[in-house]
Amino acid sequence: MNIKRLSVIFNHMVNQNNEQLNEIFHALADSTRREMVQMMAERERTVSELAEPFEMSLAGISKHIKVLERANLVERSINGRTHICRLNTETLSQATKWLQTYEKFWNNRFDLLEYELMKAKKKEN
């Protein structure tokens, strides 16, 4: 396989990952959906259970669930007339990994700042 082909494959993977992250963070940008994710982190929930704490119609809740499904954060199964939603933790871990990269960056920056401040303090004494 030549370098150009590898580059195309890599760029395609990066673009797919960026699109997935965009969907994830778009879905998590809404407080209602974040609360629904928290509820499903405890256990799987029916659509009615997800709707319970909110003052909105089942159609409104369903739209929120569809956004979470598009982001692959939620998997839905149907048992008769009951829709059961469960959190897809693998997708959530993608967002966590991305955030951890920046957490490491900022921790390193703060460590460097602390070092420089300590150095400056020693010079003053």
Side-chain angles (χ1 to χ4, degrees):
M1 191 175 288
N2 66 30
I3 292 174
K4 188 173 184 176
R5 175 127 170 90
L6 283 173
S7 175
V8 169
I9 291 170
F10 177 75
N11 286 336
H12 179 69
M13 289 169 52
V14 168
N15 288 338
Q16 279 185 320
N17 192 38
N18 283 340
E19 290 172 18
Q20 179 69 29
L21 283 172
N22 288 345
E23 289 289 332
I24 292 167
F25 287 118
H26 167 73
L28 295 175
D30 182 84
S31 62
T32 299
R33 292 191 288 269
R34 285 193 307 273
E35 190 169 335
M36 293 168 78
V37 166
Q38 286 179 325
M39 292 170 67
M40 287 180 283
E42 297 170 7
R43 64 178 174 80
E44 59 186 33
R45 304 283 181 149
T46 65
V47 172
S48 296
E49 289 174 323
L50 290 172
E52 195 174 296
F54 305 104
E55 292 184 20
M56 73 175 64
S57 67
L58 284 177
I61 289 296
S62 183
K63 287 179 182 180
H64 282 293
I65 292 170
K66 286 178 185 175
V67 172
L68 292 168
E69 285 178 313
R70 256 193 318 274
N72 201 27
L73 285 164
V74 169
E75 298 170 349
R76 185 191 321 212
S77 59
I78 302 171
N79 186 4
R81 295 180 63 183
T82 306
H83 290 233
I84 301 167
C85 300
R86 74 188 52 76
L87 190 60
N88 182 344
T89 55
E90 287 182 30
T91 301
L92 200 53
S93 71
Q94 288 177 13
T96 301
K97 286 177 188 174
W98 186 86
L99 289 169
Q100 285 172 340
T101 302
Y102 292 94
E103 180 182 22
K104 288 176 189 174
F105 168 78
W106 284 110
N107 284 338
N108 289 338
R109 301 302 283 177
F110 288 132
D111 289 346
L112 181 60
L113 176 61
E114 182 180 26
Y115 171 78
E116 292 297 329
L117 290 172
M118 296 295 268
K119 197 165 74 172
K121 188 176 181 178
K122 284 181 183 177
K123 284 183 180 178
E124 286 177 6
N125 293 333

